[in-house]
Amino acid sequence: MEKPLRNASHVKIVFGVTDPDAPSASTPVDNGHLPFSDVNSVDLGLSVATPYQTLEKNRFILDGKSPMAPSSNFVYQGFVSKAISDDAGVFSVPPVVTVSFNEFVQFAALTLYFDTIMNEYPTEFTVQCYYNSTSVLSKTYVATSSEFVSNDAIPLCNKIVITFKKTYRPHRRLRLSQIIYGVINTLTAADLVSCSQSASMDIISSNLPDEKFSFTIMDVERRYDPENPQGVWEYLESRQPVNVSIGYELDSGDIEWFPWCNTYSTGDVKVNKGGVVAEVTIETESLIQQLTKTYTRGVYRPAGVSLATLAEEVMTFVGYPNILVMDDSLRSLTTTIPLPEVEANQCLQLIANAGMCVLVTDRSGSPMMIKVTEEDEIQDFTMSKKQAKEEPTVTKYPVLRNLITGYSHINVGSEVQNLIENVQITGANRTSVELTYSSATNQSVQISSGLTLHSATHYAQRSVLVLTGTGTVTITGNALETQDVGYTKIVHEVGEDLEITNELISSYEHAKQYADWVAGCEERRIEYAITDRGYPELDLGDTVNVVSNFDNTVPATIMKKSLTFNGTISGSATYLARK
């Protein structure tokens, strides 16, 4: 990458024509897996950026690129079986993945991704589909690569059972990184006009991170034309996973591929029909930006709850359990404040900010809450004048004088009051009803004659009741009253004041820690903006060395980056210098 004249670069974009609603209706399970395996997430559009080594024979390559599994905070690995194939590659107890759906589904095809990094896959497996207990498809397939697409449509069914019998290489676990309910398109540089990524993060997570990826296709067959009745336009309007890899051609002629990003289509598609060949531009964004469903499950917990538990509850609520990567410190920080009823991604941003972490997305598409500190390891990379296209643009931010923040304390009202009074319910059939009110705890339900209450689940601002019949409902409870307490940290005698609060902070000790953290971040006052030759190996949050206009080397953290491919790569980035 440092040659004056670089070797060729390559791009591969994989995106689906799939059913985007199927994953929310699915429940995948397996018959035996390793601790870091995550079968629950195999159909969520994630990819494996770096596979863990598990000491199978002739698999553990000592090149430093594939780490051993940590004890916690696993990076997404897909399904990894406990069973290992024998000398002939045959499993004595075949790994099985069963996907049950809470509604009936059907697909044009079924796509399976195995270990695409190491190019390992099963050579024989069966797919069985059931309509309730009736088999509607049973077929054995032979895979010839780590990416498999069936030639058979999946008929109307509510259960799919995949049984893996034999591996391409002996002594291997079954690794299944993705199940895709539909057909996958793979685009290369020959199909593209251009593609580009832009991404930014906030060092104190006071705002959501922003990550976008767009690509422009040369549509010779007009498959993406909205006027083509046999086209695939309608699928692009749905949330489709988009997996992007970038490759660099080595002197040997081989291409070294590595993940670029994993995003989801926004439905924003533009078609330029000027000329014989149409150009179609598809816009995508990160999973975090797609999590716009309003979170409604905040609960008052007087004994406190960890920020990690809150984050996990939000991700489960939006249908993406077990994929959030978090710093361990979030398990020791607690709050008594219920999460507000706002969009789920705003809840994650609040949690990251209260946890003194940065919210970003990794290359596999998984959200992460990570620490960015002065002690972070400096990457083996220097942004010098040789890498840059021009001298850095330098911005210096004002000195911080006072950091004004605070914390909240909840008082429980002493009197029981009516939260909902005599609400009329009509329904001969079993019905789920959500009733909302101001924040409360210790809720109780009273129903009139004619109603049967099957269950009641209470949250801070609503109750979910399952009822049968006709009558009235009254809900009582104790009101929650929030008292705000201020805290000011004096940083310098002169400068500008910054006021920032987080409603999840519920103790003096936490507020003091928070103030120290924000003030420390604000002491990083020098920012460099650099247009460069394009370095896809760098990520948001990486700390690298930057050579300033006065030729001194400054450690700095990447806060914003962009990368464009249009036959060659180019980029730019913004770096926040350490204090």
Side-chain angles (χ1 to χ4, degrees), residues 6 389 532-535 562-566 568-572:
R6 285 174 165 174
K389 290 186 174 180
D532 55 55
R533 301 179 67 196
Y535 293 90
S562 66
L563 195 67
T564 298
F565 175 87
N566 55 7
T568 60
I569 58 174
S570 59
S572 63

Side-chain angles (χ1 to χ4, degrees), residues 467-526:
L467 301 156
T468 301
T470 299
T472 61
V473 172
T474 297
I475 300 177
T476 62
N478 299 88
L480 298 178
E481 300 169 357
T482 303
Q483 178 183 356
D484 296 327
V485 182
Y487 178 88
T488 299
K489 179 181 176 64
I490 301 172
V491 184
H492 295 287
E493 292 184 359
V494 296
E496 296 185 356
D497 293 346
L498 173 63
E499 184 172 354
I500 180 170
T501 58
N502 187 303
E503 60 193 278
L504 295 181
I505 297 176
S506 59
S507 71
Y508 171 83
E509 293 78 12
H510 191 170
K512 184 177 183 301
Q513 275 186 277
Y514 179 78
D516 291 343
W517 171 67
V518 174
C521 293
E522 292 300 314
E523 289 285 270
R524 302 177 67 165
R525 298 171 49 216
I526 299 178

